[in-house]
Amino acid sequence: MRLFAKIFLFTTLVLSVAVLLSGYLLIAVSYEDSLDRETEHALSQHQYDRFSVQSALISGADKLRGKEYPDAEMFRSFADRLGGNCIFFSNEGSVLYSSIPGEVDTTVFSRADVNSVVHEIWRRGETGYLLVCSIMAQGDISFYLCSAVDISPLIEQKGQLESSFEIVYFITIGFGVMLMLMLSAFLTRPIIRLTQATAQMAKGKYDKRLSVGRSDEIGVLSESYNQMAETIEDKITELSENARQKEDFAASFAHELKTPLTSVIGYADMLYQKDLPKESVKNAAWYILNEGLRLESLSLKLMDLIVLGREDFLLEELGANEILTNIASSLIPQFREKGVSCSIDVDPADVMAEYDLFKTMIMNLIDNSVKAGAKNIGITGKMKEDHYTITVADNGRGIPASELSRITEAFYMVDKSRSRKQHGAGLGLSLCTKIAGIHHTRLQFHSTENVGTSVSVDLAYAKGEQHAQT
Amino acid sequence: MRKRNILTILGIAAAFVIAFGGWRLTNALLDSQEARLLSRKGTVPIVVQETAPSISSAMEEPDGITVDDGKSRTEFNGDSTHTDSLTELEPLSEEEIAAILADREDSEEYYPHEPLAGQLTMEEAVSTAQKAMSYLTDLGVIPSGSLASDSTDASLGVWTLSEENVTTINVRHSLWTVTLSEEATTARFTIHAFSGEIWDAIIGFPVADDYIQNWNAEDLLENFIYGLDIGEAKLINQPEENAAYGIFGKNLFYAISWYEYMQNENYGIKSIQLGTGLHTGGLNFE
């Protein structure tokens, strides 16, 4: 069953029961109360009527002497004194006088006796009378007096009340159901949207978002859905990226493995198959050695990457000045060989770092600068307000802007042929990125093609260093 | 999907059935209730309460009423003289009288009832009123022509029901109201149904300019108060107001007053009022 039908049914049921029950109680109780009041009033009025008739009988005692019943004229005068409707019955049950036109009920008085007053309702067509009867006795005269109170207005009023209630009932049901349907449409619209969005997500469309615009439970649900969709989309993107990177990694790895192996196999086969001159043998051996070194470098870097996946290294307080100077000093022979000048400008400060990893990272960055053909390399360490920034800047070939986003991927090389010649495997910056992550920071690249590249990394101060600095 | 649509249609149909069926059911229940109510029959017993005999019925002449002229207790029906002390028949205490008067003044309810055992019958009450009229005529207060009444009305009732049981009437608290009237004269008497004492009287009658009107309120009060030992009351005459008060006990007073409304030089209406009341501080007796 559809939701609106359920709401329609349930609302109708609840409203019907509530309105009908209250209406029934209202009408029934008020009608019964009115009849009770009318009966009480009629009984009281009957007592007055008895007094009035008895007074008249006492006044007219002389005229009545010797008679069985007062004459019709006297009964008329009694009725005039009473004001309302009344019937006088003889002891035998015949009507002596009635102020009610037409036939009258002649059974009611029979229940009355000298010790009691009886009452009942007498319906005649659309009219109704509340009859109160008792025996009147004064001297030798006795007859039945019935006071008749017209309760037709009461019956009519009840009918009108029922008609009014009918109108009120159906209007209430109509408006109530319409209101509930509108309300349910208002309440369920976001749920429908949520259902549609969920269905879209089930089909693989993770970019669908809901407009929240409200702060109730539905709003919170929509907000949660959006957050969930955001997280799922991020995760999916991340997983896709990871999968792509793994595919790239596997392809690159296979390629990087195959290239030197092809050379090694080719030259080894040549040496095995043919008798080559000494120069050619030496040349082939050089190629085999060169490619072997590259394979060794590749395996070492891969090992480092696997090891760095642990990410549970302990950071210690290190003097930035000492470590950077130490690194630069160890590279002086390489700088001389390549004709590179290196300058160091480092503010003295203690930073939190893992010595070996940090050294590996800086040496990789300097190695990249050298491989990029830089002739000037600047190593700076600057104290900032809440961190220490180390920058390795060069005037090498730089990196095209379009390549910047991928340079940290494993095996990615901007210039593959040149990198391979330099025994590069495209793993250096990937390694540096991992090391930066272990230091709770990340590498920031600024590069302009043919101008140079600078790579910065922010490190946390050792405890108390910031206060000293400020 | 098809099943869902069928259920939806059935649900909507059920809602309409509930709405209209409920209405029909309610109507049927209301009709049934009306039929039950309109066929209801009831019987109310006429209460006859056994109690001590009234002062009036304890006397040999039940229709006799006593008049205290300040010196001795006499009857003005002239048939016999009773010297029974009212206290021997447990007359109403001052507190009881005060309570009845307070009820009459404050209560919005009035419960008419048939005379109970120990109370004056209607005939006795009417007779008492007629004799009071006769007495006033004999005194010359009311012109003799006013005596012949051609209409009598009487009712008996109480203003509160007994506290222990709301259906019980205290036989000592009922008052008869008897109205005697003829063409121009109307006299209304309030008579204590248990003792037969006249507590209030309002009499209006026509007067001509030749009618002697030099009444002394104090004398009239002494003459008119029935059942009162006036000798113990403090009498206050206020002739400028045509009134006199007899203060009795702590809370009660008896009073007489009159006023005239002259319609022209020769004809007017004189209204004379006798009353028992509560002294609530509204009167200046000093």
Side-chain angles (χ1 to χ4, degrees):
Chain A
M1 194 188 296
R2 294 188 178 205
L3 183 63
F4 89 89
K6 286 180 183 172
I7 292 170
F8 185 74
L9 178 61
F10 186 71
T11 308
T12 309
L13 180 67
V14 170
L15 274 178
S16 296
V17 170
V19 176
L20 289 174
L21 191 64
S22 50
Y24 171 77
L25 288 175
L26 189 74
I27 294 172
V29 170
S30 74
Y31 188 49
E32 188 164 5
D33 279 355
S34 300
L35 270 177
D36 286 347
R37 275 200 305 275
E38 205 65 53
T39 305
E40 236 173 78
H41 175 255
L43 284 167
S44 179
Q45 185 58 46
H46 182 70
Q47 185 62 58
Y48 283 118
D49 291 349
R50 282 175 59 83
F51 284 144
S52 187
V53 171
Q54 193 180 2
S55 304
L57 289 170
I58 291 170
S59 297
D62 292 341
K63 294 179 188 172
L64 292 167
R65 193 161 292 124
K67 291 184 177 176
E68 187 181 5
Y69 298 112
D71 56 27
E73 191 59 37
M74 284 193 83
F75 277 124
R76 185 172 291 108
S77 72
F78 295 166
D80 290 344
R81 284 169 68 100
L82 303 185
N85 289 314
C86 60
I87 311 166
F88 296 96
F89 292 102
S90 70
N91 294 324
E92 293 76 32
S94 60
V95 178
L96 296 170
Y97 176 82
S98 172
S99 62
I100 301 172
E103 285 193 11
V104 297
D105 180 15
T106 57
T107 58
V108 57
F109 72 92
S110 57
R111 292 189 295 117
D113 58 36
V114 73
N115 292 320
S116 62
V117 176
V118 298
H119 62 86
E120 68 179 59
I121 290 166
W122 170 43
R123 291 294 299 271
R124 193 174 67 176
E126 292 301 308
T127 57
Y129 291 97
L130 177 59
L131 298 177
V132 185
C133 301
S134 64
I135 293 177
M136 284 295 312
Q138 178 62 40
D140 298 329
I141 291 179
S142 78
F143 52 86
Y144 289 94
L145 164 64
C146 287
S147 306
V149 177
D150 188 0
I151 57 166
S152 305
L154 199 66
I155 297 169
E156 194 180 330
Q157 192 184 17
K158 191 225 173 193
Q160 286 172 352
L161 203 59
E162 283 180 357
S163 301
S164 303
F165 177 63
E166 182 178 0
I167 295 167
V168 169
Y169 169 70
F170 283 110
I171 287 175
T172 306
I173 293 291
F175 272 103
V177 168
M178 276 171 59
L179 202 67
M180 279 305 292
L181 287 175
M182 286 164 66
L183 190 65
S184 66
F186 173 72
L187 289 172
T188 54
R189 195 180 302 132
I191 296 175
I192 292 168
R193 284 183 189 158
L194 188 63
T195 308
Q196 289 169 346
T198 312
Q200 292 286 313
M201 188 181 278
K203 289 176 184 171
K205 293 179 182 174
Y206 301 102
D207 58 340
K208 182 80 177 171
R209 297 289 181 275
L210 299 172
S211 60
V212 181
R214 50 202 292 175
S215 58
D216 55 9
E217 288 82 351
I218 301 283
V220 172
L221 178 64
S222 303
E223 188 69 48
S224 299
Y225 169 81
N226 285 345
Q227 285 174 3
M228 181 189 75
E230 193 77 40
T231 307
I232 289 174
E233 190 178 17
D234 288 350
K235 283 286 177 192
I236 293 292
T237 307
E238 190 182 325
L239 287 173
S240 300
E241 188 64 16
N242 283 347
R244 188 187 63 76
Q245 283 180 358
K246 279 179 183 170
E247 280 177 13
D248 288 353
F249 182 89
S252 300
F253 180 73
H255 180 72
E256 292 302 319
L257 203 62
K258 187 184 171 189
T259 306
L261 280 176
T262 304
S263 299
V264 168
I265 290 166
Y267 280 107
D269 186 51
M270 193 170 69
L271 288 172
Y272 177 72
Q273 297 283 348
K274 298 176 184 175
D275 290 331
L276 296 170
K278 190 178 179 182
E279 187 62 27
S280 296
V281 170
K282 194 178 177 181
N283 198 28
W286 183 86
Y287 272 112
I288 290 170
L289 176 66
N290 197 36
E291 293 305 317
L293 287 171
R294 213 156 73 81
L295 278 173
E296 184 190 29
S297 170
L298 180 67
S299 65
L300 287 172
K301 292 280 176 73
L302 279 172
M303 185 63 73
D304 284 347
L305 272 177
I306 291 164
V307 169
L308 291 175
R310 292 186 353 243
E311 294 189 358
D312 58 350
F313 297 92
L314 183 66
L315 303 183
E316 56 189 335
E317 293 182 15
L318 297 173
N321 192 20
E322 288 79 9
I323 192 171
L324 289 173
T325 306
N326 190 344
I327 291 167
S329 301
S330 67
L331 291 171
I332 287 173
Q334 190 182 348
F335 290 153
R336 279 183 185 160
E337 185 188 339
K338 301 286 182 183
V340 176
S341 66
C342 180
S343 62
I344 297 177
D345 179 13
V346 181
D347 294 339
D350 288 341
V351 295
M352 297 301 291
E354 206 286 329
Y355 179 79
D356 290 327
L357 293 180
F358 183 70
K359 187 175 177 181
T360 303
M361 181 175 71
I362 298 299
M363 288 184 76
N364 263 294
L365 292 176
I366 292 170
D367 189 46
N368 278 349
S369 294
V370 172
K371 284 176 181 172
K375 291 301 174 189
N376 293 306
I377 298 173
I379 301 169
T380 57
K382 294 295 175 190
M383 295 178 74
K384 300 288 176 59
E385 190 177 347
D386 54 356
H387 59 264
Y388 191 86
T389 303
I390 294 169
T391 305
V392 177
D394 65 54
N395 62 345
R397 279 182 291 276
I399 305 163
S402 59
E403 307 278 346
L404 270 175
S405 61
R406 299 194 63 189
I407 56 176
T408 56
E409 290 177 19
F411 297 111
Y412 187 81
M413 289 171 276
V414 175
D415 188 340
K416 292 182 173 56
S417 61
R418 193 178 61 249
S419 294
R420 288 196 186 103
K421 279 179 189 167
Q422 294 167 334
H423 300 157
L427 294 170
L429 283 178
S430 179
L431 201 63
C432 290
T433 303
K434 286 248 179 187
I435 292 171
I438 289 166
H439 286 81
H440 311 300
T441 185
R442 61 190 184 89
L443 298 174
Q444 295 169 55
F445 295 90
H446 299 282
S447 183
T448 308
E449 207 170 355
N450 300 321
V451 174
T453 303
S454 74
V455 185
S456 300
V457 60
D458 297 333
L459 295 175
Y461 285 115
K463 200 173 181 182
E465 189 63 37
Q466 189 179 7
H467 293 294
Q469 181 264 127
T470 53
Chain B
M1 181 65 83
R2 194 181 165 198
K3 186 184 173 188
R4 196 170 76 151
N5 287 340
I6 291 170
L7 283 173
T8 301
I9 292 166
L10 283 176
I12 294 170
F16 280 103
V17 169
I18 288 168
F20 287 97
W23 171 246
R24 292 295 299 271
L25 179 68
T26 307
N27 267 340
L29 287 172
L30 285 170
D31 289 345
S32 155
Q33 189 232 15
E34 183 175 27
R36 181 177 58 80
L37 288 176
L38 295 184
S39 62
R40 201 166 56 173
K41 296 176 180 178
T43 303
V44 181
I46 295 173
V47 180
V48 179
Q49 195 163 319
E50 291 302 327
T51 183
S54 69
I55 297 168
S56 54
S57 62
M59 295 177 179
E60 288 178 5
E61 297 290 334
D63 58 345
I65 53 172
T66 56
V67 175
D68 192 333
D69 60 2
K71 297 168 185 172
S72 63
R73 189 181 301 280
T74 58
E75 285 188 336
F76 60 83
N77 61 6
D79 296 334
S80 61
T81 301
H82 293 279
T83 55
D84 310 37
S85 166
L86 287 175
T87 53
E88 287 173 17
L89 296 167
E90 297 180 16
L92 293 174
S93 66
E94 180 192 331
E95 286 74 22
E96 271 187 292
I97 295 171
I100 296 166
L101 291 172
D103 288 344
R104 187 178 65 165
E105 204 164 305
D106 300 335
S107 177
E108 292 177 357
E109 300 293 334
Y110 179 67
Y111 306 96
H113 64 87
E114 288 293 315
L116 305 173
Q119 293 183 332
L120 296 183
T121 62
M122 185 186 282
E123 282 174 299
E124 289 168 342
V126 171
S127 174
T128 301
Q130 285 171 340
K131 284 168 184 171
M133 281 288 282
S134 172
Y135 177 70
L136 293 170
T137 308
D138 290 347
L139 287 177
V141 175
I142 304 173
S144 57
S146 304
L147 185 59
S149 71
D150 54 16
S151 173
T152 305
D153 239 321
S155 68
L156 173 66
V158 290
W159 279 265
T160 54
L161 298 171
S162 177
E163 283 182 11
E164 301 82 40
N165 183 345
V166 291
T167 60
T168 303
I169 293 165
N170 189 328
V171 71
R172 291 160 69 91
H173 285 201
S174 305
L175 295 174
W176 274 107
T177 304
V178 180
T179 306
L180 307 174
S181 53
E182 48 96 32
E183 193 176 345
T185 303
T186 300
R188 196 189 74 195
F189 295 90
T190 303
I191 304 164
H192 185 238
F194 187 67
S195 67
E197 292 172 356
I198 295 177
W199 283 14
D200 288 332
I202 300 173
I203 304 159
F205 50 87
V207 289
D209 61 348
D210 58 346
Y211 187 68
I212 300 169
Q213 299 169 39
N214 296 325
W215 292 347
N216 180 298
E218 198 170 335
D219 290 344
L220 284 174
L221 184 65
E222 285 191 45
N223 287 323
F224 295 160
I225 296 175
Y226 309 118
L228 168 68
D229 184 1
I230 204 72
E232 296 175 12
K234 179 183 177 185
L235 292 177
I236 298 170
N237 194 9
Q238 293 186 323
E240 68 280 1
E241 294 179 6
N242 289 337
Y245 305 94
I247 302 173
F248 176 73
K250 292 178 183 173
N251 297 314
L252 299 173
F253 68 86
Y254 294 86
I256 184 167
S257 65
W258 67 86
Y259 69 89
E260 283 181 14
Y261 171 69
M262 295 302 293
Q263 288 184 320
N264 54 49
E265 289 179 352
N266 300 318
Y267 185 79
I269 297 291
K270 184 187 273 293
S271 175
I272 183 165
Q273 297 186 26
L274 291 159
T276 307
L278 280 174
H279 174 202
T280 55
L283 295 166
N284 180 14
F285 294 119
E286 297 302 324

